[in-house]
Amino acid sequence: MEKPPVLSSDSASSDAGLDNDKKIAPTPLRCFTGALMASVFSLLGYRLTLAIATSFANKPITSTNPAVVNISAAVRTLVTGMAALATGIFGIAALGLAALGVQLLVKRFQATDKDL
C-alpha cells in the first residue's frame, strides 16, 4: 500500500495557492472599486432594513399570550437589528476604503511633486 503524499508546511500555509511573500499592494483604483461595491451593498442593506421594519410595523402581533408577544418582539428586534448592523458595517467599510483611496492619491501626487 502506498501512503498518500504529505503536504509540506509551505503549501499548507499558503492561502488559495498564493505565496505569503507576495502581497498585493493597494491602489486607488482598487480602493475606489471596493468602496463602490461596499456602498452598493450598504444601500441594498438599507432598503432591506426599511422593508423589514415596514413589514413588521404593518403586521402587528395578534396574540394575548405575554410570552408569545415578548418572543415575537425579541425576534423582530433581532432581525431588524442584524439587517441594520450589516448595513452599518458595509457603510463604514465604504467610507474607509474611499478615505484610503484618497490618501493613496494624495501620497502619489506628493511623490510626483517632489520628483519635479
Side-chain angles (χ1 to χ4, degrees):
M1 254 188 186
E2 291 183 24
K3 291 183 181 179
V6 178
L7 296 174
S8 68
S9 63
D10 292 336
S11 63
S13 65
S14 65
D15 187 24
L18 296 175
D19 292 334
N20 289 335
D21 296 337
K22 297 179 183 177
K23 294 187 179 182
I24 300 172
T27 62
L29 178 63
R30 286 185 183 175
C31 291
F32 291 130
T33 304
L36 180 67
M37 288 191 296
S39 63
V40 167
F41 287 146
S42 180
L43 178 65
L44 292 174
Y46 177 72
R47 290 185 178 185
L48 177 67
T49 303
L50 284 180
I52 290 170
T54 304
S55 174
F56 285 158
N58 290 333
K59 297 174 186 169
I61 302 166
T62 59
S63 176
T64 57
N65 188 347
V68 171
V69 172
N70 289 339
I71 292 172
S72 298
V75 169
R76 288 178 175 213
T77 303
L78 180 68
V79 170
T80 307
M82 291 299 290
L85 179 66
T87 300
I89 288 173
F90 279 113
I92 291 170
L95 288 175
L97 284 168
L100 178 62
V102 168
Q103 181 183 14
L104 290 174
L105 280 176
V106 167
K107 282 186 178 182
R108 182 176 290 177
F109 285 131
Q110 287 177 349
T112 56
D113 286 345
K114 289 180 183 178
D115 291 341
L116 294 177

